[in-house]
Amino acid sequence: MAFDGIVIHALTDELNKMLCGGKIDKIHQPERSTLTVNIRTKNGGYKLLLCANPSCARVHLMSNSMENPSAPPMFCMLLRKHLSGGKITLVEQPDFERIIYIHIENYDEMGYISEKILICELMGKYSNIILVNKDYKIIDSIFHVDFTVSSVRQILPGLIYTEPPGQGKKNPLDFGKQEIKDMLAKNDVPLFKQLMDSFMGISPLMARETVYRALGRTDACGSEVTDEQFDRTGYIFYTLMQNISAGDYSPCAAFDKTTKKLLDFNAFTIEQYENLAEVKSFDTVNEAAEFFYLKKSSMQNMKQKSADLMKFVNNNIERCLK
């Protein structure tokens, strides 16, 4: 899970600093689940990618261009109507949820200032991009969710937007070293899983990284560690959360040294793979995210082309043999 709550928190911090005050210039929808938004700021222009594809849902700045259809889809036309020329006033993440709110001010048909919020939910197969007004009434969404899809939460024009049901986890920024340590139990559950089950926005990668930095291994269970090691784990986790609060990140992507396969990216340096991985550092989380998904897309395309060629060759071999 590359886009966990921590990565989104770091990325939202960057986007808020870079895009606030910027004007929305152009909006395109190159694919069914993907939007690109051109934004003009006093420091230059940016292109923001919003993707609700279940296999690679994400939001980040992009440096390349995508081919757009000759006729824009209906959702794209609606966004242009409501958001073109609008000013971005805030980019935020509620707690550590995998959700990004982009607040936009624009003039309505009567010439009055109107606030809209573009909500990006980055939750695997439940990912969506939703436009709401200041009262959180849904104007439209890239995917409609009715009773046939979900009996718990519908996303349809005219309904009031509600956030996805919570999991009962706690915000990790609200706790000190001792409190974090006290949440860890001496049982047969791996420490990394205890962290994931207790705190919001913590992916398996980040939880394992915490335990690795504390104990030098990732699979330690609560029943195997000493009080001193519990203290160490709580301290490492607390320190990482303090770095998040201070905006002190070290974005990177990790490759398998042998196969060159892309393993993951994160807002913090990944150490748990030790000498099995090569780690590439970036200046911003946005750059790390774009690099990761461009590389991932390129590898998937190559794999698909290879599979198509193999099928073509095998079919012709069978035909020749017959």
Side-chain angles (χ1 to χ4, degrees):
M1 186 194 297
F3 259 78
D4 64 2
I6 288 178
V7 167
I8 291 174
H9 190 92
L11 188 134
T12 304
D13 280 351
E14 289 181 2
L15 292 178
N16 194 51
K17 292 171 184 173
M18 299 167 77
L19 302 183
C20 258
K23 294 288 186 71
I24 293 177
D25 188 16
K26 295 178 182 177
I27 302 173
H28 296 287
Q29 190 173 349
E31 297 172 358
R32 170 73 180 91
S33 58
T34 303
L35 298 168
T36 61
V37 183
N38 288 19
I39 301 160
R40 290 180 287 106
T41 74
K42 61 183 179 181
N43 296 318
Y46 296 99
K47 184 175 289 186
L48 182 66
L49 176 76
L50 313 172
C51 180
N53 187 312
S55 64
C56 55
R58 64 198 190 276
V59 172
H60 59 75
L61 296 175
M62 57 188 295
S63 55
N64 64 320
S65 297
M66 300 178 72
E67 188 175 344
N68 298 306
S70 55
M74 290 298 295
F75 186 64
C76 179
M77 293 292 288
L78 179 133
L79 291 182
R80 289 178 180 179
K81 173 187 173 184
H82 288 278
L83 304 181
S84 290
K87 181 175 75 172
I88 295 176
T89 58
L90 178 65
V91 183
E92 63 174 346
Q93 173 198 33
D95 287 324
F96 266 71
E97 298 287 358
R98 285 183 289 159
I99 304 173
I100 296 176
Y101 288 178
I102 304 173
H103 295 258
I104 301 155
E105 281 187 353
N106 204 0
Y107 290 98
D108 61 19
E109 295 89 342
M110 302 298 293
Y112 296 107
I113 290 286
S114 171
E115 183 186 2
K116 303 292 190 306
I117 306 168
L118 197 57
I119 303 173
C120 306
E121 298 183 344
L122 311 174
M123 300 177 293
K125 66 179 181 179
Y126 302 110
S127 298
N128 211 339
I129 301 171
I130 306 158
L131 181 67
V132 304
N133 65 14
K134 64 182 178 62
D135 299 317
Y136 288 85
K137 184 178 180 180
I138 297 171
I139 299 170
D140 207 349
S141 59
I142 207 163
F143 296 125
H144 288 178
V145 180
D146 59 20
F147 281 103
T148 64
V149 179
S150 172
S151 60
V152 177
R153 177 173 173 262
Q154 289 76 51
I155 303 295
L156 294 170
L159 298 181
I160 298 299
Y161 172 81
T162 57
E163 289 182 3
Q167 297 176 302
K169 298 181 182 181
K170 301 172 178 64
N171 187 326
L173 299 182
D174 294 340
F175 295 87
K177 295 187 289 287
Q178 187 61 42
E179 292 172 305
I180 293 168
K181 179 205 167 186
D182 291 343
M183 290 184 185
L184 302 175
K186 282 185 174 293
N187 54 31
D188 293 331
V189 179
L191 283 180
F192 83 87
K193 193 169 188 316
Q194 292 190 40
L195 290 172
M196 286 173 54
D197 292 343
S198 299
F199 298 105
M200 302 169 65
I202 310 299
S203 65
L205 177 75
M206 198 64 221
R208 289 195 302 267
E209 184 66 27
T210 301
V211 176
Y212 175 80
R213 292 188 185 190
L215 308 179
R217 51 183 289 205
T218 61
D219 59 349
C221 292
S223 57
E224 301 172 354
V225 299
T226 64
D227 285 340
E228 184 181 349
Q229 289 173 320
F230 269 121
D231 284 335
R232 176 74 177 159
T233 304
Y235 172 75
I236 293 293
F237 189 77
Y238 173 77
T239 302
L240 285 170
M241 295 307 110
Q242 290 304 297
N243 289 341
I244 290 171
S245 294
D248 184 12
Y249 305 108
S250 49
C252 73
F255 302 82
D256 186 294
K257 267 189 178 178
T258 305
T259 64
K260 300 301 178 183
K261 179 183 177 183
L262 197 57
L263 299 172
D264 221 320
F265 86 94
N266 206 308
F268 294 102
T269 303
I270 302 171
E271 300 177 3
Q272 61 191 271
Y273 297 123
E274 298 180 337
N275 61 349
L276 299 176
E278 176 185 340
V279 177
K280 179 179 174 66
S281 299
F282 295 89
D283 293 331
T284 68
V285 180
N286 275 278
E287 290 173 348
E290 182 183 23
F291 174 85
F292 177 82
Y293 284 104
L294 278 177
K295 199 80 173 175
K296 184 178 178 181
S297 176
S298 175
M299 293 170 69
Q300 287 176 340
N301 289 340
M302 182 65 73
K303 186 176 180 180
Q304 182 61 49
K305 288 179 180 178
S306 299
D308 292 343
L309 284 171
M310 285 299 295
K311 183 178 179 181
F312 176 79
V313 170
N314 287 331
N315 286 345
N316 277 277
I317 289 173
E318 289 177 11
R319 188 177 293 114
C320 290
L321 289 172
K322 287 179 181 177

mmCIF file of all heavy atoms in Angstrom, residues 96-123:
data_model
loop_
_atom_site.group_PDB
_atom_site.id
_atom_site.type_symbol
_atom_site.label_atom_id
_atom_site.label_comp_id
_atom_site.label_asym_id
_atom_site.label_seq_id
_atom_site.Cartn_x
_atom_site.Cartn_y
_atom_site.Cartn_z
ATOM 1 N N PHE A 96 -5.717 10.966 9.624
ATOM 2 C CA PHE A 96 -4.761 10.227 8.798
ATOM 3 C C PHE A 96 -5.501 9.339 7.798
ATOM 4 O O PHE A 96 -4.998 8.294 7.382
ATOM 5 C CB PHE A 96 -3.842 9.381 9.683
ATOM 6 C CG PHE A 96 -2.567 10.073 10.040
ATOM 7 C CD1 PHE A 96 -2.575 11.142 10.921
ATOM 8 C CD2 PHE A 96 -1.365 9.693 9.482
ATOM 9 C CE1 PHE A 96 -1.415 11.796 11.257
ATOM 10 C CE2 PHE A 96 -0.191 10.350 9.811
ATOM 11 C CZ PHE A 96 -0.207 11.402 10.700
ATOM 12 N N GLU A 97 -6.702 9.754 7.414
ATOM 13 C CA GLU A 97 -7.485 8.985 6.449
ATOM 14 C C GLU A 97 -6.855 9.084 5.059
ATOM 15 O O GLU A 97 -6.132 10.032 4.755
ATOM 16 C CB GLU A 97 -8.925 9.499 6.396
ATOM 17 C CG GLU A 97 -9.695 9.369 7.694
ATOM 18 C CD GLU A 97 -10.087 7.935 8.014
ATOM 19 O OE1 GLU A 97 -9.794 7.033 7.205
ATOM 20 O OE2 GLU A 97 -10.687 7.728 9.085
ATOM 21 N N ARG A 98 -7.183 8.119 4.216
ATOM 22 C CA ARG A 98 -6.692 8.145 2.827
ATOM 23 C C ARG A 98 -7.654 8.974 1.966
ATOM 24 O O ARG A 98 -8.218 8.494 0.986
ATOM 25 C CB ARG A 98 -6.536 6.715 2.296
ATOM 26 C CG ARG A 98 -5.306 6.015 2.858
ATOM 27 C CD ARG A 98 -5.118 4.641 2.284
ATOM 28 N NE ARG A 98 -6.113 3.711 2.777
ATOM 29 C CZ ARG A 98 -6.450 2.580 2.165
ATOM 30 N NH1 ARG A 98 -5.905 2.269 1.005
ATOM 31 N NH2 ARG A 98 -7.343 1.770 2.691
ATOM 32 N N ILE A 99 -7.822 10.228 2.389
ATOM 33 C CA ILE A 99 -8.733 11.164 1.724
ATOM 34 C C ILE A 99 -8.039 12.518 1.628
ATOM 35 O O ILE A 99 -7.362 12.940 2.572
ATOM 36 C CB ILE A 99 -10.056 11.313 2.503
ATOM 37 C CG1 ILE A 99 -10.731 9.949 2.718
ATOM 38 C CG2 ILE A 99 -11.007 12.260 1.780
ATOM 39 C CD1 ILE A 99 -11.950 10.001 3.616
ATOM 40 N N ILE A 100 -8.209 13.190 0.496
ATOM 41 C CA ILE A 100 -7.671 14.539 0.309
ATOM 42 C C ILE A 100 -8.816 15.472 -0.071
ATOM 43 O O ILE A 100 -9.588 15.170 -0.988
ATOM 44 C CB ILE A 100 -6.577 14.563 -0.774
ATOM 45 C CG1 ILE A 100 -5.373 13.707 -0.344
ATOM 46 C CG2 ILE A 100 -6.132 15.994 -1.063
ATOM 47 C CD1 ILE A 100 -4.290 13.598 -1.394
ATOM 48 N N TYR A 101 -8.921 16.588 0.643
ATOM 49 C CA TYR A 101 -9.903 17.629 0.329
ATOM 50 C C TYR A 101 -9.166 18.787 -0.360
ATOM 51 O O TYR A 101 -8.210 19.325 0.201
ATOM 52 C CB TYR A 101 -10.562 18.183 1.595
ATOM 53 C CG TYR A 101 -11.536 17.263 2.292
ATOM 54 C CD1 TYR A 101 -12.157 17.657 3.476
ATOM 55 C CD2 TYR A 101 -11.848 16.007 1.788
ATOM 56 C CE1 TYR A 101 -13.059 16.835 4.140
ATOM 57 C CE2 TYR A 101 -12.742 15.180 2.446
ATOM 58 C CZ TYR A 101 -13.342 15.591 3.611
ATOM 59 O OH TYR A 101 -14.232 14.767 4.257
ATOM 60 N N ILE A 102 -9.646 19.194 -1.531
ATOM 61 C CA ILE A 102 -9.111 20.373 -2.211
ATOM 62 C C ILE A 102 -10.213 21.434 -2.223
ATOM 63 O O ILE A 102 -11.225 21.281 -2.910
ATOM 64 C CB ILE A 102 -8.660 20.040 -3.647
ATOM 65 C CG1 ILE A 102 -7.631 18.900 -3.641
ATOM 66 C CG2 ILE A 102 -8.084 21.280 -4.325
ATOM 67 C CD1 ILE A 102 -7.246 18.396 -5.017
ATOM 68 N N HIS A 103 -10.044 22.484 -1.425
ATOM 69 C CA HIS A 103 -11.041 23.548 -1.312
ATOM 70 C C HIS A 103 -10.789 24.590 -2.400
ATOM 71 O O HIS A 103 -9.651 25.048 -2.580
ATOM 72 C CB HIS A 103 -10.961 24.209 0.070
ATOM 73 C CG HIS A 103 -11.317 23.291 1.193
ATOM 74 N ND1 HIS A 103 -12.537 23.323 1.826
ATOM 75 C CD2 HIS A 103 -10.609 22.298 1.807
ATOM 76 C CE1 HIS A 103 -12.570 22.410 2.781
ATOM 77 N NE2 HIS A 103 -11.413 21.780 2.788
ATOM 78 N N ILE A 104 -11.854 24.982 -3.099
ATOM 79 C CA ILE A 104 -11.731 25.893 -4.238
ATOM 80 C C ILE A 104 -12.805 26.975 -4.159
ATOM 81 O O ILE A 104 -13.986 26.668 -3.947
ATOM 82 C CB ILE A 104 -11.873 25.116 -5.570
ATOM 83 C CG1 ILE A 104 -10.791 24.031 -5.658
ATOM 84 C CG2 ILE A 104 -11.800 26.060 -6.774
ATOM 85 C CD1 ILE A 104 -11.146 22.871 -6.537
ATOM 86 N N GLU A 105 -12.402 28.217 -4.334
ATOM 87 C CA GLU A 105 -13.342 29.334 -4.396
ATOM 88 C C GLU A 105 -13.483 29.799 -5.839
ATOM 89 O O GLU A 105 -12.482 29.939 -6.555
ATOM 90 C CB GLU A 105 -12.851 30.506 -3.539
ATOM 91 C CG GLU A 105 -13.109 30.340 -2.058
ATOM 92 C CD GLU A 105 -12.750 31.592 -1.278
ATOM 93 O OE1 GLU A 105 -12.176 32.527 -1.889
ATOM 94 O OE2 GLU A 105 -13.021 31.632 -0.070
ATOM 95 N N ASN A 106 -14.720 30.046 -6.261
ATOM 96 C CA ASN A 106 -14.972 30.510 -7.621
ATOM 97 C C ASN A 106 -16.261 31.329 -7.633
ATOM 98 O O ASN A 106 -17.060 31.273 -6.683
ATOM 99 C CB ASN A 106 -15.095 29.319 -8.579
ATOM 100 C CG ASN A 106 -14.784 29.698 -10.011
ATOM 101 O OD1 ASN A 106 -14.470 30.861 -10.292
ATOM 102 N ND2 ASN A 106 -14.860 28.753 -10.924
ATOM 103 N N TYR A 107 -16.486 32.066 -8.699
ATOM 104 C CA TYR A 107 -17.726 32.842 -8.831
ATOM 105 C C TYR A 107 -18.808 31.970 -9.462
ATOM 106 O O TYR A 107 -18.557 31.237 -10.419
ATOM 107 C CB TYR A 107 -17.486 34.076 -9.699
ATOM 108 C CG TYR A 107 -16.616 35.116 -9.036
ATOM 109 C CD1 TYR A 107 -15.253 35.191 -9.307
ATOM 110 C CD2 TYR A 107 -17.157 36.013 -8.118
ATOM 111 C CE1 TYR A 107 -14.453 36.141 -8.685
ATOM 112 C CE2 TYR A 107 -16.363 36.966 -7.485
ATOM 113 C CZ TYR A 107 -15.012 37.017 -7.773
ATOM 114 O OH TYR A 107 -14.216 37.948 -7.141
ATOM 115 N N ASP A 108 -20.021 32.051 -8.912
ATOM 116 C CA ASP A 108 -21.138 31.305 -9.490
ATOM 117 C C ASP A 108 -21.807 32.123 -10.603
ATOM 118 O O ASP A 108 -21.329 33.212 -10.967
ATOM 119 C CB ASP A 108 -22.148 30.906 -8.414
ATOM 120 C CG ASP A 108 -22.766 32.101 -7.702
ATOM 121 O OD1 ASP A 108 -22.707 33.229 -8.248
ATOM 122 O OD2 ASP A 108 -23.318 31.921 -6.594
ATOM 123 N N GLU A 109 -22.924 31.611 -11.128
ATOM 124 C CA GLU A 109 -23.609 32.259 -12.251
ATOM 125 C C GLU A 109 -24.111 33.653 -11.896
ATOM 126 O O GLU A 109 -24.268 34.519 -12.768
ATOM 127 C CB GLU A 109 -24.800 31.406 -12.729
ATOM 128 C CG GLU A 109 -24.415 30.064 -13.309
ATOM 129 C CD GLU A 109 -24.343 28.973 -12.250
ATOM 130 O OE1 GLU A 109 -24.256 29.329 -11.045
ATOM 131 O OE2 GLU A 109 -24.359 27.791 -12.610
ATOM 132 N N MET A 110 -24.351 33.901 -10.601
ATOM 133 C CA MET A 110 -24.865 35.200 -10.152
ATOM 134 C C MET A 110 -23.745 36.177 -9.795
ATOM 135 O O MET A 110 -24.006 37.326 -9.428
ATOM 136 C CB MET A 110 -25.774 34.993 -8.927
ATOM 137 C CG MET A 110 -26.956 34.074 -9.169
ATOM 138 S SD MET A 110 -28.065 34.712 -10.428
ATOM 139 C CE MET A 110 -28.704 36.153 -9.573
ATOM 140 N N GLY A 111 -22.501 35.708 -9.897
ATOM 141 C CA GLY A 111 -21.371 36.580 -9.605
ATOM 142 C C GLY A 111 -20.937 36.587 -8.162
ATOM 143 O O GLY A 111 -20.115 37.419 -7.752
ATOM 144 N N TYR A 112 -21.475 35.674 -7.357
ATOM 145 C CA TYR A 112 -21.105 35.582 -5.946
ATOM 146 C C TYR A 112 -19.999 34.528 -5.752
ATOM 147 O O TYR A 112 -19.927 33.551 -6.494
ATOM 148 C CB TYR A 112 -22.309 35.206 -5.083
ATOM 149 C CG TYR A 112 -23.418 36.241 -5.085
ATOM 150 C CD1 TYR A 112 -24.605 35.998 -5.774
ATOM 151 C CD2 TYR A 112 -23.267 37.442 -4.406
ATOM 152 C CE1 TYR A 112 -25.626 36.952 -5.784
ATOM 153 C CE2 TYR A 112 -24.284 38.395 -4.405
ATOM 154 C CZ TYR A 112 -25.460 38.146 -5.097
ATOM 155 O OH TYR A 112 -26.452 39.088 -5.117
ATOM 156 N N ILE A 113 -19.171 34.754 -4.728
ATOM 157 C CA ILE A 113 -18.136 33.769 -4.400
ATOM 158 C C ILE A 113 -18.799 32.490 -3.907
ATOM 159 O O ILE A 113 -19.673 32.519 -3.038
ATOM 160 C CB ILE A 113 -17.177 34.313 -3.321
ATOM 161 C CG1 ILE A 113 -16.297 35.421 -3.885
ATOM 162 C CG2 ILE A 113 -16.308 33.195 -2.751
ATOM 163 C CD1 ILE A 113 -15.208 34.928 -4.815
ATOM 164 N N SER A 114 -18.377 31.366 -4.469
ATOM 165 C CA SER A 114 -18.946 30.066 -4.101
ATOM 166 C C SER A 114 -17.805 29.100 -3.803
ATOM 167 O O SER A 114 -16.807 29.068 -4.532
ATOM 168 C CB SER A 114 -19.813 29.547 -5.255
ATOM 169 O OG SER A 114 -20.214 28.216 -5.026
ATOM 170 N N GLU A 115 -17.951 28.335 -2.734
ATOM 171 C CA GLU A 115 -16.907 27.351 -2.387
ATOM 172 C C GLU A 115 -17.326 25.957 -2.828
ATOM 173 O O GLU A 115 -18.458 25.526 -2.624
ATOM 174 C CB GLU A 115 -16.647 27.326 -0.881
ATOM 175 C CG GLU A 115 -15.515 26.360 -0.514
ATOM 176 C CD GLU A 115 -15.298 26.188 0.985
ATOM 177 O OE1 GLU A 115 -16.045 26.790 1.768
ATOM 178 O OE2 GLU A 115 -14.383 25.436 1.351
ATOM 179 N N LYS A 116 -16.397 25.263 -3.468
ATOM 180 C CA LYS A 116 -16.571 23.860 -3.834
ATOM 181 C C LYS A 116 -15.412 23.071 -3.225
ATOM 182 O O LYS A 116 -14.333 23.614 -2.966
ATOM 183 C CB LYS A 116 -16.571 23.675 -5.356
ATOM 184 C CG LYS A 116 -17.624 24.484 -6.111
ATOM 185 C CD LYS A 116 -19.013 24.013 -5.816
ATOM 186 C CE LYS A 116 -20.058 24.635 -6.739
ATOM 187 N NZ LYS A 116 -20.044 26.105 -6.791
ATOM 188 N N ILE A 117 -15.639 21.795 -3.011
ATOM 189 C CA ILE A 117 -14.581 20.928 -2.479
ATOM 190 C C ILE A 117 -14.472 19.702 -3.377
ATOM 191 O O ILE A 117 -15.474 19.012 -3.620
ATOM 192 C CB ILE A 117 -14.883 20.491 -1.033
ATOM 193 C CG1 ILE A 117 -15.155 21.699 -0.144
ATOM 194 C CG2 ILE A 117 -13.708 19.676 -0.466
ATOM 195 C CD1 ILE A 117 -15.731 21.357 1.214
ATOM 196 N N LEU A 118 -13.274 19.466 -3.882
ATOM 197 C CA LEU A 118 -13.005 18.269 -4.673
ATOM 198 C C LEU A 118 -12.388 17.238 -3.729
ATOM 199 O O LEU A 118 -11.304 17.454 -3.175
ATOM 200 C CB LEU A 118 -12.050 18.600 -5.824
ATOM 201 C CG LEU A 118 -11.958 17.600 -6.973
ATOM 202 C CD1 LEU A 118 -13.320 17.348 -7.604
ATOM 203 C CD2 LEU A 118 -10.972 18.066 -8.023
ATOM 204 N N ILE A 119 -13.093 16.140 -3.520
ATOM 205 C CA ILE A 119 -12.679 15.129 -2.547
ATOM 206 C C ILE A 119 -12.128 13.914 -3.275
ATOM 207 O O ILE A 119 -12.793 13.337 -4.140
ATOM 208 C CB ILE A 119 -13.872 14.704 -1.659
ATOM 209 C CG1 ILE A 119 -14.458 15.930 -0.949
ATOM 210 C CG2 ILE A 119 -13.447 13.647 -0.648
ATOM 211 C CD1 ILE A 119 -15.743 15.635 -0.185
ATOM 212 N N CYS A 120 -10.913 13.546 -2.936
ATOM 213 C CA CYS A 120 -10.264 12.377 -3.542
ATOM 214 C C CYS A 120 -10.142 11.285 -2.482
ATOM 215 O O CYS A 120 -9.406 11.447 -1.503
ATOM 216 C CB CYS A 120 -8.879 12.737 -4.071
ATOM 217 S SG CYS A 120 -8.894 14.142 -5.208
ATOM 218 N N GLU A 121 -10.884 10.199 -2.666
ATOM 219 C CA GLU A 121 -10.812 9.057 -1.758
ATOM 220 C C GLU A 121 -9.912 8.006 -2.383
ATOM 221 O O GLU A 121 -10.214 7.475 -3.448
ATOM 222 C CB GLU A 121 -12.211 8.496 -1.511
ATOM 223 C CG GLU A 121 -13.153 9.483 -0.848
ATOM 224 C CD GLU A 121 -14.524 8.897 -0.537
ATOM 225 O OE1 GLU A 121 -14.854 7.827 -1.094
ATOM 226 O OE2 GLU A 121 -15.266 9.507 0.247
ATOM 227 N N LEU A 122 -8.796 7.699 -1.732
ATOM 228 C CA LEU A 122 -7.779 6.802 -2.280
ATOM 229 C C LEU A 122 -7.794 5.496 -1.496
ATOM 230 O O LEU A 122 -6.956 5.254 -0.638
ATOM 231 C CB LEU A 122 -6.406 7.484 -2.202
ATOM 232 C CG LEU A 122 -6.364 8.921 -2.752
ATOM 233 C CD1 LEU A 122 -5.018 9.558 -2.496
ATOM 234 C CD2 LEU A 122 -6.705 8.944 -4.232
ATOM 235 N N MET A 123 -8.784 4.665 -1.798
ATOM 236 C CA MET A 123 -9.029 3.478 -0.967
ATOM 237 C C MET A 123 -9.245 2.234 -1.829
ATOM 238 O O MET A 123 -10.277 1.565 -1.729
ATOM 239 C CB MET A 123 -10.240 3.727 -0.061
ATOM 240 C CG MET A 123 -10.061 4.910 0.870
ATOM 241 S SD MET A 123 -11.512 5.273 1.878
ATOM 242 C CE MET A 123 -12.664 5.797 0.625
#
